[in-house]
Amino acid sequence: QVQLVESGGGLVQPGGSLRLSCAASGSTFSIKSMGWYRQPPGKERELVAAITNGGSINYADSVKGRFTISRENDKNTVYLQMNSLKPEDTDVYYCNLNNYYNTYWGQGTQVTVSS
């Protein structure tokens, strides 16, 4: 089993920045990718950003140029630096980990962008 612990959410004004962190523990061998998703009201959970074990990165079009995903492999931790935040970025952000056997989700951290 894998446990994911997220931190870093909160309230920020439009144009501000936040940094999310997600630390994985447990059976962290054979990780294929880690990333962040969010789920707008009434919609399916959508990819925000993901990074593979080989370092390949994928971003949602809506966050390109504003968000940066990074990973510390020795700490099994993934980060999401979010800059130039917009009200439409308001959501619960979920950490995701894929290994060769299962997909795991964190409990979610709330990000609210409002003046």
Side-chain angles (χ1 to χ4, degrees):
Q1 290 294 319
V2 172
Q3 295 77 44
L4 300 174
V5 178
E6 301 142 330
S7 60
L11 172 64
V12 65
Q13 292 187 343
S17 298
L18 283 174
R19 188 191 194 209
L20 305 182
S21 300
C22 173
S25 61
S27 301
T28 56
F29 56 90
S30 299
I31 294 176
K32 292 174 61 178
S33 68
M34 295 184 72
W36 294 92
Y37 285 69
R38 61 190 182 190
Q39 188 164 11
K43 297 184 178 181
E44 293 187 357
R45 195 168 291 185
E46 62 184 24
L47 173 72
V48 177
I51 182 167
T52 70
N53 208 39
S56 296
I57 291 174
N58 190 26
Y59 292 105
D61 288 342
S62 60
V63 307
K64 284 180 181 177
R66 300 189 298 123
F67 291 10
T68 302
I69 189 170
S70 60
R71 181 178 163 186
E72 286 190 90
N73 289 338
D74 57 341
K75 296 181 180 179
N76 292 315
T77 300
V78 66
Y79 305 96
L80 186 67
Q81 178 66 44
M82 304 185 293
N83 298 329
S84 302
L85 282 160
K86 305 175 181 180
E88 50 264 42
D89 294 317
T90 295
D91 214 323
V92 177
Y93 285 70
Y94 296 92
C95 180
N96 167 270
L97 182 150
N98 293 301
N99 62 21
Y100 285 91
Y101 309 102
N102 280 306
T103 295
Y104 298 91
W105 296 95
Q107 78 283 0
T109 185
Q110 177 70 46
V111 171
T112 302
V113 185
S114 175
S115 56

